[in-house]
Amino acid sequence: MAKLPLNARYTCVYALPPCQVVELRGIYKVEVYPIELLLVQHSDMDTPHTAQFSRTDSIDLVSRTAQEQFLVSPQEETRLWVKNAEGSFERLWNTRVTVLDAALNSGQLVIMETRSKDGTWPSKQPRAVSSTSKEDENFQGQPGICGLTNLGNTCFMNSALQCLSNVPQLTEYFLKNRYLEELNFCNPLGMKGEIAEAYADLVKQAWSGHHRSIVPNVFKTKVGHFASQFLGYQQHDSQELLSFLLDGLHEDLNRVKKKEYVELCDAAGRPDHEVAQEAWQNHKRRNDSVIVDTFHGLFKSTLVCPDCGNVSVTFDPFCYLSVPLPVSHKRVMEVFFVSMDPRRKPEQHRLVVPKKGKISDLCVALAKHTGVSPERMMVADVFSHRFYKIYQLEESLSSILDRDDIFIYEVSGRSSISENTREDVVLPIYLRERTPARDYNNSYYGLMLFGHPLLVSVPRDRLSWDALYHILLYRLSRYVTRPSSDDEDDGDEKDMEGKNSIPKPGNMAGGSSHNPGPEQAGPSSGVAGGSRAPVNNSPGPSHWPQRARRKHLFTLQTVNSNGTSDRSNFNEDTHGVSFSSQPYIAIDWEPEMKKRYYDEVEAEGYVKHDCVGYVLKKAPVRLQECIELFTTVETLEKENPWYCPSCKQHQLATKKLDLWTLPETLIIHLKRFSYTKFSREKLDTLVEFPIRDLDFSEFVIKPQNESAPELYKYDLIAVSNHYGGLRDGHYTTFACNKDSGQWHYFDDSSVSPVSENQIESKAAYVLFYQRQDVARRLQSKPQPGSSDPPAPPTCESLPKSESMDVN
């Protein structure tokens, strides 16, 4: 205890725990009950050092005392843990709070942990014996050339992290521990500093030079904890993760501890420079961080009311540019054309149609290649040997996906199946093969669809089963062989004609009033899927046609749209067959007959039209064109109108964005993924972007400093790539190392050097550009030596507890 002056008036103040000593003017205070803490190192938990502290001492003093006691250099990064009565360990996050605020008691164990040279914390290392070889443990490589393990569909996260890690000024900010001074634990919009610390750990490991690859599982867990959309291991967007990470780092490192209310003001006719300066100052009053310093710029937004002409001008900060790509209004579609001429094989065509066109446009485009009138075409989506959908002329082409198998059939007229105003009716025809299946009496037959279905025009005056048989036999003649005279018995054909005709089209669509018995399926129905095969002695009316004297290659059966015989869809009587829904006919083959007369190879054959070799070449676009498109005047959508203060109502105003000021590091997001009400697609247009000297002087409308042209010129430093389509894909990264200047390709845990001519590709998705004056400033800075340990910020509230894994 220090000696007091002899002539001083003093009083002993007994401060019993947990009471704090009260300040009294002119009186020396003596703390009778100081706090005794047991200080240990994480590497040696068995030899504690006892140190006394006042309850008003800061945790920072405890940390410095531990460093002095254990001879740890002030330049080394350390952190403190405290052991609770339950035996668990918690981080002492905020080192600016007092011992009293941290609720430390005498006899408590405080552990000091020192970051390893490879950037990891000893408490995060697994207890189990590592499988890493000694060669890997002693690995020393180029700092920053470090892969990230894919944890399962986390390539999007790895790509975003590699891009951000190669932003020089941001990485230096974390490597020099300047972030410790600015951790904001009490920001309600932040993540209590946890995202910033998790990202700092990744940066320090990646830039230690001691790892070929690291496992970002701790960072992934933190991201999922604060952003539920990234929970689990589903596929996500690297740009969305990047947006979350930039916002999270900004709020965790925000130097503004208490955000004041700022009212946004319109220009109201004031000069642009005055309004812009006011907007930026207001932004900095609430947002001041290394993210703002590095990535934030300023827009000028101009809205014009279409009714009253009122003009609203505001200046808004931005963190990245999402620029659109020029979209082609044409679309290439592949279809198969099936002619009415049975001698012609189906033809594959590649057609160029309007992207927002109709089915009729598809028929018109095909007519130019075939010479067949569009009025004589019907379009259908064929899937699994059946018609998935038969399209109407007025339907939109957007309902057809690129992966759909589209067949366009030539018919005798543009009559729909249910119309009764034409001389012909169009029937959908399926092909089925009987497959024997075991039953209690082995008389059950299954039916399996095969081949391509047909749309066949049938004359109205020949709607009988026998006439339909011969029409279909003619349509199939290219790959179905007619039986020879030896195979066919000459029967009396007169008793087969006109006996049981197919009802008129009106009855097909509208149903029938008859309700006959199930055994009268028609003269050549043969089998109703799932029912027993008819036998010669089956009961029926006296006029039932006897076909035993004539051999048919196949039988016909009414079926539903799925190709299964469904008796609820049709009625049978002695006068014919009437349908209660859209009529579908199945051609049923016996296996032996199919094998003998049906040529599968010929049936599946098709020819390619000359147009198949045509490719709609997408001309590459320059990045400057995308930026020009970004600054083009556009009209607001109906879902997002603007409230005009003059009209006092929402208006579809015109909007124009201009660039006022640009940040040190400019992130450009190419909007490759297009989502509309009717379609979703990924644009694989090649965007030509310069590696060096990207000049923005023509886009920045703020009066320019002619003596400093480098303020508007940028050099590329990183690219996030996306390969694949909408439903699946893979993300990688090209990045330029800030120390060596060498470009590398980061593919999860794999890293390889590349040349600059390999960087530009159709996969480029997010571009990182650094302003040239910043690059010169960083290169001219002398490499600083060790710096003093930073002082953490003051904040009353503590973050959520973190558990410690003690070896």
Side-chain angles (χ1 to χ4, degrees):
M1 185 179 297
K3 292 184 178 181
L4 300 178
L6 296 178
N7 58 348
R9 187 168 66 91
Y10 55 90
T11 303
C12 289
V13 180
Y14 295 88
L16 298 178
C19 299
Q20 186 174 356
V21 178
V22 180
E23 285 282 356
L24 297 175
R25 289 186 179 180
I27 298 179
Y28 287 96
K29 297 170 295 181
V30 179
E31 191 162 356
V32 180
Y33 297 102
I35 294 293
E36 289 189 351
L37 299 177
L38 303 179
L39 306 179
V40 296
Q41 281 186 294
H42 183 269
S43 57
D44 185 9
M45 301 278 288
D46 298 327
T47 55
H49 170 73
T50 303
Q52 291 186 347
F53 298 95
S54 168
R55 296 182 188 275
T56 59
D57 288 338
S58 67
I59 300 300
D60 182 56
L61 178 61
V62 177
S63 178
R64 285 188 277 113
T65 302
Q67 287 179 325
E68 294 174 0
Q69 174 62 36
F70 300 119
L71 304 178
V72 176
S73 170
Q75 282 72 42
E76 295 193 56
E77 190 176 353
T78 61
R79 61 184 185 182
L80 298 181
W81 299 79
V82 60
K83 185 177 182 180
N84 294 328
E86 298 83 6
S88 60
F89 295 85
E90 292 184 6
R91 276 278 308 277
L92 293 174
W93 290 81
N94 193 351
T95 58
R96 275 293 182 90
V97 299
T98 64
V99 172
L100 178 67
D101 294 332
L104 298 184
N105 298 316
S106 288
Q108 269 194 298
L109 189 68
V110 177
I111 304 98
M112 184 186 70
E113 184 182 16
T114 306
R115 191 188 289 273
S116 305
K117 291 183 179 180
D118 63 356
T120 61
W121 292 104
S123 62
K124 294 297 182 183
Q125 296 175 356
R127 298 182 184 183
V129 178
S130 175
S131 59
T132 308
S133 63
K134 290 185 177 180
E135 180 182 354
D136 291 335
E137 291 178 358
N138 299 326
F139 174 75
Q140 181 62 54
Q142 172 71 41
I145 310 304
C146 176
L148 295 174
T149 301
N150 193 323
L151 305 175
N153 285 331
T154 58
C155 57
F156 73 97
M157 182 184 75
N158 294 346
S159 179
L161 288 173
Q162 294 288 14
C163 287
L164 209 57
S165 172
N166 282 276
V167 177
Q169 60 269 48
L170 184 64
T171 296
E172 287 295 323
Y173 172 85
F174 283 99
L175 293 180
K176 299 295 173 52
N177 291 336
R178 291 198 294 270
Y179 75 100
L180 294 175
E181 305 173 1
E182 299 175 348
L183 282 172
N184 192 333
F185 298 115
C186 54
N187 186 354
L189 300 178
M191 289 83 174
K192 307 301 182 184
E194 295 186 41
I195 286 293
E197 286 211 334
Y199 178 74
D201 287 346
L202 274 180
V203 170
K204 289 178 179 291
Q205 293 177 50
W207 289 85
S208 67
H210 292 284
H211 300 280
R212 289 185 173 88
S213 179
I214 56 180
V215 183
N217 51 358
V218 175
F219 181 83
K220 172 70 171 62
T221 303
K222 292 291 185 184
V223 169
H225 175 73
F226 291 106
S228 58
Q229 67 268 29
F230 297 115
L231 277 173
Y233 296 92
Q234 302 299 319
Q235 296 189 13
H236 293 283
D237 190 297
S238 67
Q239 188 272 333
E240 292 179 0
L241 188 278
L242 185 66
S243 176
F244 161 79
L245 182 54
L246 288 172
D247 184 65
L249 290 176
H250 161 64
E251 297 296 354
D252 271 2
L253 301 169
N254 199 342
R255 303 174 186 116
V256 179
K257 300 303 181 288
K258 291 184 180 180
K259 294 189 176 184
E260 57 182 299
Y261 173 76
V262 176
E263 184 176 357
L264 298 179
C265 298
D266 194 82
R270 293 179 293 164
D272 282 351
H273 67 87
E274 178 183 332
V275 183
Q277 184 177 5
E278 176 186 340
W280 185 251
Q281 289 175 349
N282 288 340
H283 179 60
K284 293 279 285 186
R285 284 162 63 185
R286 293 175 54 86
N287 304 277
D288 185 15
S289 69
V290 65
I291 302 300
V292 175
D293 299 340
T294 307
F295 299 102
H296 282 206
L298 204 61
F299 282 140
K300 178 187 177 182
S301 176
T302 306
L303 289 166
V304 180
C305 178
D307 286 352
C308 67
N310 178 44
V311 179
S312 173
V313 176
T314 58
F315 287 82
D316 306 303
F318 69 90
C319 190
Y320 51 85
L321 298 181
S322 288
V323 299
L325 273 63
V327 179
S328 173
H329 299 291
K330 298 292 184 180
R331 176 185 178 186
V332 175
M333 299 183 66
E334 290 191 358
V335 302
F336 289 91
F337 173 68
V338 181
S339 171
M340 288 182 63
D341 185 352
R343 296 167 298 179
R344 294 179 57 182
K345 292 183 179 181
E347 292 179 347
Q348 183 183 13
H349 290 256
R350 182 170 291 170
L351 308 175
V352 181
V353 293
K355 184 171 291 187
K356 296 183 179 180
K358 297 181 179 181
I359 298 297
S360 57
D361 296 315
L362 190 63
C363 297
V364 171
L366 181 61
K368 297 177 181 178
H369 294 181
T370 62
V372 177
S373 170
E375 296 296 319
R376 296 168 57 88
M377 295 181 184
M378 293 189 71
V379 181
D381 181 0
V382 175
F383 175 73
S384 189
H385 312 292
R386 57 174 61 89
F387 290 115
Y388 182 78
K389 183 177 181 180
I390 298 176
Y391 293 94
Q392 301 299 319
L393 286 176
E394 65 275 5
E395 290 188 67
S396 173
L397 284 176
S398 60
S399 59
I400 298 180
L401 305 179
D402 290 337
R403 65 175 183 272
D404 293 340
D405 291 325
I406 301 301
F407 282 71
I408 300 182
Y409 297 86
E410 180 188 3
V411 295
S412 59
R414 271 305 317 174
S415 172
S416 67
I417 296 175
S418 60
E419 286 181 353
N420 55 8
T421 58
R422 300 295 180 96
E423 295 181 357
D424 292 346
V425 62
V426 179
L427 294 177
I429 307 297
Y430 288 161
L431 299 173
R432 303 192 301 183
E433 180 181 3
R434 294 179 186 174
T435 56
R438 296 190 63 83
D439 197 0
Y440 62 91
N441 60 358
N442 291 328
S443 62
Y444 174 82
Y445 285 88
L447 291 165
M448 183 174 63
L449 291 169
F450 71 93
H452 297 306
L454 292 172
L455 287 177
V456 178
S457 299
V458 180
R460 185 183 306 280
D461 57 357
R462 296 182 63 186
L463 289 181
S464 67
W465 289 106
D466 191 69
L468 181 60
Y469 171 83
H470 287 286
I471 291 174
L472 294 178
L473 194 61
Y474 171 72
R475 287 295 302 270
L476 304 177
S477 60
R478 181 172 55 85
Y479 46 92
V480 172
T481 306
R482 285 180 177 271
S484 63
S485 58
D486 296 335
D487 297 333
E488 186 174 5
D489 185 12
D490 292 333
D492 185 4
E493 298 185 15
K494 294 181 180 179
D495 64 346
M496 296 180 240
E497 295 182 2
K499 292 286 186 179
N500 291 347
S501 61
I502 297 178
K504 295 182 183 298
N507 290 334
M508 291 181 185
S512 172
S513 60
H514 300 288
N515 187 15
E519 66 273 7
Q520 297 164 329
S524 58
S525 59
V527 62
S531 65
R532 304 182 189 280
V535 293
N536 291 336
N537 59 356
S538 60
S542 59
H543 64 271
W544 187 280
Q546 300 299 319
R547 300 238 171 163
R549 289 178 299 168
R550 179 170 181 163
K551 181 181 292 184
H552 279 66
L553 300 184
F554 48 79
T555 57
L556 303 179
Q557 171 66 44
T558 52
V559 294
N560 59 19
S561 60
N562 288 326
T564 58
S565 300
D566 188 353
R567 290 186 179 274
S568 63
N569 282 347
F570 61 90
N571 297 321
E572 303 159 289
D573 60 17
T574 59
H575 295 31
V577 182
S578 61
F579 297 84
S580 59
S581 64
Q582 182 170 295
Y584 287 77
I585 305 296
I587 298 175
D588 291 338
W589 288 84
E590 294 287 352
E592 288 299 324
M593 298 294 285
K594 177 175 177 286
K595 182 178 181 181
R596 185 173 179 180
Y597 296 107
Y598 186 91
D599 187 344
E600 291 190 13
V601 176
E602 181 65 23
E604 298 294 328
Y606 67 94
V607 295
K608 292 185 178 182
H609 190 268
D610 294 340
C611 63
V612 175
Y614 171 78
V615 178
L616 182 61
K617 295 183 178 180
K618 296 181 179 179
V621 300
R622 297 168 57 245
L623 179 59
Q624 289 85 340
E625 295 178 54
C626 301
I627 299 171
E628 287 177 2
L629 197 59
F630 176 79
T631 58
T632 302
V633 177
E634 62 177 352
T635 302
L636 298 180
E637 298 178 351
K638 294 181 180 180
E639 296 79 10
N640 187 29
W642 170 65
Y643 182 79
C644 177
S646 178
C647 297
K648 304 297 182 184
Q649 59 182 351
H650 289 88
Q651 300 283 2
L652 299 182
T654 59
K655 181 179 181 180
K656 188 178 190 304
L657 290 177
D658 290 297
L659 303 178
W660 183 259
T661 57
L662 296 179
E664 293 183 350
T665 299
L666 179 61
I667 302 175
I668 302 178
H669 165 224
L670 303 177
K671 298 173 69 174
R672 291 195 177 275
F673 298 101
S674 173
Y675 300 96
T676 66
K677 292 181 180 179
F678 308 102
S679 64
R680 296 183 176 187
E681 63 176 334
K682 181 195 173 185
L683 305 176
D684 59 352
T685 307
L686 174 63
V687 178
E688 297 176 340
F689 50 90
I691 305 297
R692 295 182 182 84
D693 297 327
L694 174 60
D695 193 352
F696 275 89
S697 58
E698 60 178 305
F699 301 108
V700 176
I701 64 172
K702 180 183 178 180
Q704 300 180 13
N705 184 357
E706 300 297 338
S707 62
E710 68 275 5
L711 294 177
Y712 311 101
K713 288 188 177 181
Y714 286 78
D715 295 334
L716 188 71
I717 57 174
V719 180
S720 175
N721 304 299
H722 179 267
Y723 301 92
L726 286 172
R727 292 174 177 80
D728 54 12
H730 183 58
Y731 288 92
T732 63
T733 301
F734 288 113
C736 180
N737 186 272
K738 67 180 182 65
D739 297 330
S740 66
Q742 169 68 45
W743 282 89
H744 288 81
Y745 182 64
F746 296 84
D747 186 357
D748 289 331
S749 57
S750 173
V751 185
S752 56
V754 293
S755 59
E756 290 186 359
N757 57 9
Q758 296 176 266
I759 298 171
E760 187 180 277
S761 73
K762 293 182 179 180
Y765 182 46
V766 184
L767 311 175
F768 284 67
Y769 278 93
Q770 185 179 61
R771 207 168 62 200
Q772 289 183 350
D773 69 309
V774 177
R776 293 191 180 93
R777 185 186 70 211
L778 293 175
Q779 292 172 359
S780 62
K781 272 188 177 181
Q783 293 296 329
S786 60
S787 58
D788 295 333
T794 303
C795 182
E796 297 302 325
S797 62
L798 293 175
K800 182 179 177 181
S801 300
E802 181 181 339
S803 60
M804 179 183 185
D805 189 14
V806 180
N807 293 332

